[in-house]
Amino acid sequence: MKKVCNVGEFVRVEADPENPGVAVIRIDRPKALNALNGQVTQEIAEAAAAASADPAVRAVVLYGGERAFVAGADIKEMADLTHAQMLEYSRALQNALTAVARIPKPVVAAISGYALGGGCELALCADFRVAGTKAKLGQPEIQLGVIPGAGGTQRLPRLVGPAKAKDLVFSGRHVRSDEAREIGLVDEVVADEEVYSAAVALVAKYVDGPAVALAAAKEAIDRGLETDLDTGLEIERLHFSGLFSTEDQKTGMRSFVEQGPGKATFNGR
């Protein structure tokens, strides 16, 4: 994998130097604690597209650095927007975060410091979340007289349940990492200085897996959660059947028959 796959002013995609196949989408707007303005939003969308399209990228880490994951949306930029302007602004923001959620590879958010508002919503787009002990997450939009607008009212209840989501959205309170783990908002809490390495370790174990099957599993789970059980089962069945056209399926089953489970070497095709 190239050293840098895509570079913007505030968002870049880099190869992790010690884990081939793991790419890092690095958000780096330090003076604003990585707040999401229009430019950062566009660059996140471009980074997600680059990571999705690059076959050398097998897993992704979302990282904002040691001070903050993403402190929220850029309130100064949006405060005076009209209704018509916000319709377009919010569409671009939702589309960018959805592009992250649709990356067809394992994705983990490495959360240090604040992940509030749009930052929490970005973290919700990952498959897993690793937080530092001092991290704080939340959806404080209600304190501004609005509601979450980039997925917080939809992805959050799907993750933690409607009652806990309503508590966080109605109150706007910040959640410390230990409570976030307790309610299922984050999956792992580690020392702040270990957030990045723990996140990389979490997804690095999938790098040598069957990439097409992993993408199918992710889409079946995510799409299935958006629909009824019968439709979800049909999504699963079609993906399951389709994987019998891949080289990895032939390799995996042949290896199982000849050598036993867990010994296959996959090529991602």
Side-chain angles (χ1 to χ4, degrees):
M1 187 164 62
K2 297 178 181 178
K3 178 66 175 176
V4 178
C5 307
N6 184 67
V7 177
E9 182 179 0
F10 299 121
V11 182
R12 57 185 182 268
V13 184
E14 301 176 331
D16 180 84
E18 298 180 2
N19 294 274
V22 176
V24 184
I25 296 180
R26 174 70 161 93
I27 304 164
D28 190 15
R29 191 188 176 204
K31 292 182 179 180
L33 292 179
N34 297 335
L36 301 176
N37 64 5
Q39 181 178 345
V40 173
T41 296
Q42 177 61 32
E43 290 180 6
I44 287 174
E46 293 170 357
S52 296
D54 190 341
V57 175
R58 304 293 288 271
V60 176
V61 177
L62 305 175
Y63 186 52
E66 296 179 356
R67 292 183 60 210
F69 180 68
V70 170
D74 192 325
I75 305 304
K76 290 182 179 180
E77 183 180 75
M78 67 171 61
D80 294 323
L81 295 181
T82 65
H83 172 240
Q85 290 171 326
M86 182 48 73
L87 284 174
E88 295 304 314
Y89 189 98
S90 60
R91 179 179 290 112
L93 180 57
Q94 280 200 1
N95 287 346
L97 269 59
T98 296
V100 174
R102 296 286 188 241
I103 293 173
K105 300 158 188 186
V107 178
V108 59
I111 304 169
S112 296
Y114 293 111
L116 302 174
C120 186
E121 289 168 311
L122 177 60
L124 290 171
C125 294
D127 302 304
F128 313 102
R129 282 151 292 280
V130 174
T133 54
K134 296 179 182 178
K136 292 183 179 179
L137 299 88
Q139 300 288 168
E141 290 88 348
I142 203 75
Q143 298 172 359
L144 303 174
V146 295
I147 66 172
T153 67
Q154 301 304 306
R155 292 190 175 98
L156 185 59
R158 284 170 167 80
L159 184 65
V160 304
K164 291 183 177 66
K166 287 175 181 177
D167 169 49
L168 297 181
V169 172
F170 290 1
S171 68
R173 67 187 182 88
H174 298 179
V175 177
R176 295 184 180 275
S177 57
D178 54 351
E179 182 183 357
R181 179 175 55 188
E182 182 180 336
I183 66 175
L185 181 52
V186 302
D187 303 289
E188 188 176 344
V189 176
V190 299
D192 292 284
E193 63 272 16
E194 297 174 5
V195 168
Y196 175 78
S197 60
V200 171
L202 193 155
V203 291
K205 60 189 176 185
Y206 303 116
V207 165
D208 293 326
V212 181
L214 284 168
K218 178 170 179 172
E219 183 169 4
I221 292 170
D222 290 349
R223 297 290 190 182
L225 286 171
E226 298 168 359
T227 187
D228 60 272
L229 178 60
D230 285 346
T231 303
L233 288 169
E234 184 65 2
I235 292 170
E236 178 185 85
R237 184 182 70 84
L238 292 174
H239 275 299
F240 173 72
S241 302
L243 291 169
F244 278 74
S245 65
T246 66
E247 291 182 25
D248 283 346
Q249 176 268 325
K250 307 303 180 190
T251 298
M253 292 195 173
R254 186 180 304 113
S255 175
F256 179 89
V257 170
E258 296 176 356
Q259 300 175 296
K263 296 182 175 62
T265 299
F266 298 108
N267 60 22
R269 297 193 297 271

